[in-house]
Amino acid sequence: MKIRIMCLAALAACVASAAAGNYKVTVNLTPDEDGAMAFLVNYDNGKKIDSVMVDEGKAVFSGTLDAPVMARLTLDGKRSDVFFIEDGDILFDPAKNTATGGALNGKMNDINAHVNEIVAKYQAAMQAKDEAAAEAAYNEYQAYVQQQAMANIDNLLGLSLFLDTAYGMEPNELKKVVDEHPALMNSKRVQKLIAANNAKLATQAGAKFTDFEVTYDGKTHRLSDVVGKGTPVLVDFWASWCGPCRREMPNLKAIHDKYGDRLKVLGVAVWDEPDDSFAAVKELGLPWEVWVNGQTAPTDAYGISGIPCIVVFNGDGTIAFRDLVGEDLSAALTKLLGE
């Protein structure tokens, strides 16, 4: 996976001078995609910047922006990594998820090259089973990211890295960084992260469940329909496209078989197309009830920024625990319900 990090302090002046204005973004595709609609989307607020039809194996966007933006390409439901739209000609390669042209993209590519060198050292050490060298490479990466993040936290490259790393931050850690750099709150994604953290803090073990509803094909399900009815409930928030979600399914099946009527297992598909969710349920052979078309309401209610997310409720509707998977989940259920 390509890792985006912020620019070196020595490059900050160059980054700060990046300008918007008239842009042209050329995306090289294939003739097989001719006739498909391609979209440029503002990564921060989700709004569409421009749309064109693929013609002769290319999508060519042009226009004017008041300021540089983080953008991504969407085509046939697939989304690219983030790149920058700024004044000038930008060439985006969706196969490599890289963009050339413009100061911001240039600095991002330089940074990624340096990060890839560190990652290569780590991978070589792992292959050689040299734990000391692997740990040294990992620590080098961590130190590099932290140093450059703090040096550039208030510019657009800084925001890009912050959004990459913020989803893994603990709520208090995230709050501290945002309090120290209030300009981050201009970002819609950061605002959502703060709201998600508040929701996460409000739905920790011991708290009463927070209700939400999911509607599809004229039928509405509410969490309160199943939670707080005397039987503990395990809710798995997942999506068909989520690899880690799929990898957790065998463990959930084992849990389902082990506890039977003593534990209700419920799947809630989020951030997913209903047809894709139904197809995955059939493919994976899920034996429990699954609600589709959850989208963002359930994840907003529980401050979920990554899936799979599993929340286990006691029979009285209080939260027993959350955010555990694999062996940790199984051990926690054994403690809660016994063998």
Side-chain angles (χ1 to χ4, degrees):
M1 176 182 292
K2 186 174 72 173
I3 304 170
R4 296 192 299 274
I5 68 168
M6 298 172 200
C7 62
L8 298 171
L11 301 175
C14 187
V15 171
S17 66
N22 298 320
Y23 68 86
K24 180 180 179 182
V25 177
T26 301
V27 183
N28 288 327
L29 300 164
T30 69
D32 291 340
E33 292 158 310
D34 283 0
M37 290 298 298
F39 300 88
L40 280 182
V41 179
N42 186 313
Y43 177 72
D44 187 54
N45 60 28
K47 294 182 179 179
K48 291 178 182 177
I49 299 170
D50 199 0
S51 62
V52 298
M53 184 176 292
V54 180
D55 184 38
E56 296 183 352
K58 291 184 178 181
V60 181
F61 306 87
S62 61
T64 302
L65 291 173
D66 295 332
V69 298
M70 292 184 294
R72 71 182 348 164
L73 175 78
T74 64
L75 178 67
D76 291 335
K78 298 179 181 179
R79 302 178 295 180
S80 74
D81 278 357
V82 172
F83 64 98
F84 297 97
I85 302 177
E86 52 188 308
D87 186 38
D89 292 341
I90 309 295
L91 177 63
F92 182 68
D93 182 348
K96 297 180 179 178
N97 268 320
T98 58
T100 56
L104 292 168
N105 290 311
K107 300 308 175 288
M108 182 69 79
N109 292 335
D110 291 342
I111 293 161
N112 284 331
H114 184 72
V115 169
N116 287 339
E117 291 176 2
I118 301 174
V119 172
K121 287 194 291 186
Y122 176 81
Q123 291 174 336
M126 291 294 290
Q127 187 172 4
K129 298 183 179 180
D130 187 339
E131 294 184 5
E135 183 177 1
Y138 177 78
N139 290 338
E140 180 184 357
Y141 166 75
Q142 291 287 89
Y144 182 75
V145 170
Q146 183 176 6
Q147 178 189 4
Q148 306 316 321
M150 291 303 99
N152 294 279
I153 194 67
D154 294 317
N155 64 48
L156 197 56
L157 277 174
L159 176 60
S160 177
L161 176 59
F162 179 77
L163 290 172
D164 280 346
T165 59
Y167 291 102
M169 291 182 177
E170 291 299 319
N172 290 336
E173 181 185 4
L174 176 62
K175 184 178 184 302
K176 182 176 184 295
V177 176
V178 173
D179 286 346
E180 292 173 351
H181 304 278
L184 288 170
M185 284 301 292
N186 293 326
S187 163
K188 294 295 185 183
R189 281 186 174 263
V190 172
Q191 293 171 21
K192 288 183 178 180
L193 273 173
I194 295 296
N197 270 353
N198 291 337
K200 185 175 182 178
L201 288 172
T203 54
Q204 293 297 306
K208 193 73 174 178
F209 77 91
T210 297
D211 206 7
F212 62 80
E213 63 181 41
V214 172
T215 299
Y216 179 72
D217 200 21
K219 186 174 183 179
T220 297
H221 299 281
R222 294 177 179 82
L223 188 64
S224 54
D225 295 337
V226 295
V227 168
K229 306 300 183 182
T231 300
V233 180
L234 182 156
V235 181
D236 175 35
F237 299 94
W238 68 290
S240 65
W241 48 262
C242 170
C245 299
R246 287 173 171 265
R247 290 192 290 273
E248 185 64 20
M249 293 306 179
N251 185 47
L252 291 179
K253 286 183 179 180
I255 288 169
H256 176 267
D257 292 344
K258 177 179 180 179
Y259 292 106
D261 293 340
R262 297 170 57 201
L263 174 71
K264 179 177 177 61
V265 177
L266 171 68
V268 178
V270 297
W271 313 337
D272 203 6
E273 293 298 324
D275 287 347
D276 294 338
S277 301
F278 283 128
V281 169
K282 183 177 180 180
E283 175 192 348
L284 296 168
L286 303 186
W288 50 80
E289 182 180 5
V290 176
W291 300 348
V292 303
N293 201 39
Q295 304 309 339
T296 62
T299 52
D300 287 348
Y302 284 83
I304 298 169
S305 56
I307 52 176
C309 178
I310 294 170
V311 182
V312 175
F313 300 88
N314 293 307
D316 64 359
T318 58
I319 297 171
F321 56 86
R322 56 172 291 171
D323 303 317
L324 298 179
V325 295
E327 293 181 359
D328 292 336
L329 172 62
S330 298
L333 284 169
T334 297
K335 185 176 180 180
L336 180 69
L337 300 173
E339 291 292 344

